[in-house]
Amino acid sequence: QVQLVESGGGLVQAGGSLRLSCAASGRTFSSYVMGWFRQAPGKERDTVATISRSGGNTYYANSVKGRFTISRDNAKNTMYLQMNSLKPEDTAVYYCAASLKAGSILPAPVFYDYWGSGTQVTVSL
């Protein structure tokens, strides 16, 4: 089992940047496909980006392509999400998640077994 803790959220103006981190403890971090997801009030939890066990393959939602970058450091048991050119519609609680399921990038929340408690990102005009 793995425990996940997100950090780095906050309030930022439109056009600004934030870097989220997801620290993992427990079972070997490199065993997991990892992902970032977000949920705005009244909406379903959506995929933001996912990354393969080695970090060599990534998936991005169309809404964040070219603005967000997912990465991981298996030596530090940490995953990151660099968010640039933030928009008000990026406002949501952001969650990191881990999966042991077969596959490289697993682009949907249903594939993930373990979840952090989330970090709030608010983008103002």
Side-chain angles (χ1 to χ4, degrees), residues 54-113:
S54 68
N57 294 303
T58 57
Y59 166 86
Y60 292 94
N62 287 335
S63 58
V64 306
K65 279 182 182 177
R67 300 188 298 124
F68 290 11
T69 302
I70 190 172
S71 62
R72 67 190 294 167
D73 186 337
N74 287 345
K76 294 183 178 180
N77 291 352
T78 305
M79 175 178 66
Y80 305 97
L81 185 69
Q82 178 66 43
M83 305 187 294
N84 298 328
S85 302
L86 282 160
K87 304 175 181 180
E89 51 263 44
D90 295 318
T91 295
V93 177
Y94 282 70
Y95 299 90
C96 69
S99 176
L100 287 171
K101 292 183 173 62
S104 179
I105 54 175
L106 303 176
V110 68
F111 296 118
Y112 290 78
D113 308 299

Side-chain angles (χ1 to χ4, degrees), residues 7-9 17-21 36 71 80-83 86:
S7 62
S17 298
L18 282 174
R19 188 194 196 201
L20 304 184
S21 297
W36 287 101
S71 62
Y80 305 97
L81 185 69
Q82 178 66 43
M83 305 187 294
L86 282 160

